[in-house]
Amino acid sequence: MTKLPSHYTHILALAVPLILSNLTVPLLGAVDTAVMGHLPDPAYIGGVAVGGTIFSFLFWGFGFLKMGTVGFTSQAFGAQNFPEQQAAFLRPILLALLFGLLLIALQTPLLQLCITLIDGSEEVQNLAFQYSTIRIWSAPIALSNYVIIGWLIGKGEPKLTFILQVIINSVNILLDLFFVVQLDWGVEGVALATVIAEGVGFTIGLWIILQKSNFFTYKIDWQNVWLRSHIFALFTVNRDIFIRTLCLIFAFAYFTKLGAGMGDEILAANAVLMQFLYFSAYGLDGFAHAAEITTGHAKGRNDNIEFRNAVKASSAMAFLTSILFVITFYLFGPLIVGLFTDISSVRSTATEFIYWPILMPLISVAGFQFDGIFIGTTRTVALRNAMIQSLLIFLISAWFLVPMWGNHGLWLSMMLYMATRGLTLFRYYPALANSIGATSGEAKSIEQAT
């Protein structure tokens, strides 16, 4: 039997625990959807779907705290720059706590605006508001968890990342089942379970970093932490990722809004079908995270061969994994839908549109991989510009296709959006690849040329 080259085995060693870690996230969403889907009214599924979308927008708007942390941390470890390894955690964790407290302070106007913008029925909006007024209190710890997980990923600790994610989402799932099934607390129970689980994850994650990762091997250089040029770089990268993330979340929020405007059954069916997309996305993100780590390390060492090997190995295995997702969804799609809800009208509606999410992994894999490559090397201007272009394609597509084909047009628009993410980043990739291994002056000239 032919042995895999070392860079392939290294990618697998990183990706497998990250895939398992990532899959616990949509598993949690699946449990949320499932426990609501077995209540008597589809509005419960819609309420949690809308509430979840709101916090995707509010919290993942700060997803740059995780992605930027991965990039800076992986490069610091690649360069063996120990003071910068500490600073790559301390700078964003302080920002996370500040942003989280601001979200709590501004919760009333923010939540009212978000719920008003999403076009659900009055019952769905009321349930979403009940969910949101509880979930918002997890903001500081939820955003801090982004930093903790990002630092562990950037350090190249996929097993610790896996353990932490499993703890957070296992606690969440168990509390979901207890609060909703046993205590009959409905959407409030789902939200409270998430708040408690985030707190448990924050406590354990902080303990792992401070006690189990040699964080205090060297005395913290606070002057380096607050170095102006590094703070500026942090804000520049985070600004670009923030804009990129807002575009991504807006696309999914607009998808939910357009589905909500077609009625509670379409909204509930789309919420079920989106679980297919979430599972494949978080699975493929394992290889994207592996690309973040390895390309970041390669950039830290300025090693072009290491960079290209990392891209080749992670991308090849991600593509094969996307095919496995398509086959699995094709064979077991209707069965999976049945696990989420026993409401016959929602099940039949979901079955009508099921082929769109079945094909999505193959269409979206390039976008996920390029995200990882560009985040790991902190080439965030290209990442931002590509996402803006992709969002425009989605909005134009939805404007034309939804009036003609309804929910089929909405899913086709999402398909075009996912494909465009990969195509636009592919345009920027050659300049990125050529800059790794170049002198600092050459790399800067290449970046300015793009």
Side-chain angles (χ1 to χ4, degrees):
M1 183 174 178
T2 304
K3 188 177 180 180
L4 284 172
S6 59
H7 47 279
Y8 281 85
T9 56
H10 180 52
I11 290 291
L12 277 176
L14 293 172
V16 170
L18 288 170
I19 289 170
L20 295 175
S21 170
N22 285 343
L23 286 176
T24 65
V25 178
L27 179 61
L28 170 61
V31 172
D32 286 349
T33 302
V35 294
M36 293 293 100
H38 289 86
L39 294 177
D41 193 321
Y44 286 98
I45 303 179
V48 170
V50 169
T53 299
I54 289 170
F55 283 92
S56 291
F57 193 87
L58 289 180
F59 285 0
W60 264 109
F62 296 96
F64 59 81
L65 292 167
K66 175 185 175 182
M67 290 177 277
T69 300
V70 172
F72 285 117
T73 303
S74 63
Q75 291 174 40
F77 275 91
Q80 297 186 342
N81 185 335
F82 298 106
E84 193 57 29
Q85 292 169 20
Q86 296 169 323
F89 173 75
L90 292 170
R91 293 185 197 113
I93 198 76
L94 295 172
L95 279 178
L97 292 170
L98 174 62
F99 287 139
L101 292 172
L102 283 175
L103 286 177
I104 290 175
L106 299 172
Q107 64 176 285
T108 301
L110 279 175
L111 295 180
Q112 288 177 344
L113 175 63
C114 290
I115 290 172
T116 301
L117 290 175
I118 295 182
D119 219 4
S121 66
E122 183 178 352
E123 187 174 5
V124 166
Q125 290 190 347
N126 288 336
L127 290 168
F129 188 75
Q130 293 171 29
Y131 174 95
S132 301
T133 52
I134 296 172
R135 179 80 186 275
I136 191 68
W137 289 96
S138 70
I141 52 179
L143 299 187
S144 297
N145 284 342
Y146 289 164
V147 177
I148 291 170
I149 291 171
W151 195 84
L152 290 173
I153 291 173
K155 185 177 183 289
E157 295 280 5
K159 291 180 181 177
L160 290 177
T161 306
F162 171 62
I163 291 169
L164 183 58
Q165 286 278 52
V166 167
I167 290 171
I168 293 173
N169 292 307
S170 296
V171 170
N172 205 334
I173 288 169
L174 290 172
L175 291 178
D176 250 1
L177 296 172
F178 179 67
F179 290 158
V180 178
V181 177
Q182 294 296 319
L183 301 183
D184 196 27
W185 285 359
V187 295
E188 295 98 330
V190 172
L192 183 59
T194 303
V195 173
I196 294 172
E198 292 281 11
V200 171
F202 173 75
T203 303
I204 295 173
L206 203 59
W207 178 79
I208 288 172
I209 287 179
L210 298 182
Q211 300 297 324
K212 295 296 182 181
S213 66
N214 301 319
F215 191 85
F216 290 115
T217 300
Y218 297 86
K219 183 179 178 181
I220 296 174
D221 183 351
W222 288 103
Q223 187 175 358
N224 177 64
V225 170
W226 299 115
L227 196 63
R228 183 179 300 178
S229 61
H230 290 182
I231 294 290
F232 180 76
L234 175 69
F235 274 98
T236 300
V237 166
N238 285 345
R239 176 203 64 200
D240 295 334
I241 297 178
F242 176 68
I243 294 170
R244 170 260 180 203
T245 305
L246 281 185
C247 291
L248 179 65
I249 294 168
F250 182 82
F252 281 94
Y254 193 60
F255 179 93
T256 301
K257 173 182 171 61
L258 292 178
M262 299 178 198
D264 285 358
E265 286 185 359
I266 289 287
L267 175 62
N270 283 351
V272 170
L273 293 176
M274 286 300 283
Q275 303 306 316
F276 290 69
L277 178 58
Y278 296 150
F279 270 102
S280 62
Y282 281 103
L284 295 173
D285 250 1
F287 291 105
H289 285 324
E292 290 171 15
I293 297 167
T294 51
T295 59
H297 288 176
K299 182 178 178 181
R301 289 189 276 268
N302 204 28
D303 188 327
N304 190 271
I305 294 175
E306 180 183 348
F307 171 81
R308 291 181 185 273
N309 284 339
V311 171
K312 180 181 177 181
S314 61
S315 300
M317 287 187 283
F319 178 72
L320 291 175
T321 303
S322 72
I323 295 174
L324 291 177
F325 272 116
V326 171
I327 293 171
T328 302
F329 291 162
Y330 178 76
L331 293 176
F332 302 106
L335 176 63
I336 295 171
V337 169
L339 293 175
F340 287 128
T341 180
D342 55 9
I343 301 172
S344 59
S345 60
V346 175
R347 291 174 67 172
S348 61
T349 302
T351 303
E352 181 183 349
F353 301 102
I354 198 169
Y355 288 100
W356 294 110
I358 285 175
L359 293 172
M360 197 70 78
L362 199 57
I363 301 299
S364 60
V365 62
F368 294 131
Q369 272 304 106
F370 279 124
D371 270 0
I373 294 163
F374 280 80
I375 288 169
T377 54
T378 55
R379 288 293 290 270
T380 53
V381 173
L383 200 65
R384 177 199 68 199
N385 293 344
M387 188 60 78
I388 291 172
Q389 295 163 31
S390 301
L391 177 61
L392 290 174
I393 292 295
F394 173 70
L395 295 176
I396 293 169
S397 300
W399 188 67
F400 277 106
L401 297 175
V402 171
M404 290 193 296
W405 295 331
N407 202 40
H408 282 295
L410 181 57
W411 276 100
L412 177 56
S413 300
M414 178 58 69
M415 188 83 78
L416 293 172
Y417 170 65
M418 288 295 187
T420 305
R421 287 177 59 189
L423 292 171
T424 48
L425 282 172
F426 178 74
R427 172 174 167 263
Y428 295 106
Y429 175 74
L432 168 60
N434 292 332
S435 70
I436 307 296
T439 65
S440 58
E442 290 170 341
K444 187 174 182 180
S445 298
I446 293 170
E447 186 170 359
Q448 289 175 342
T450 59

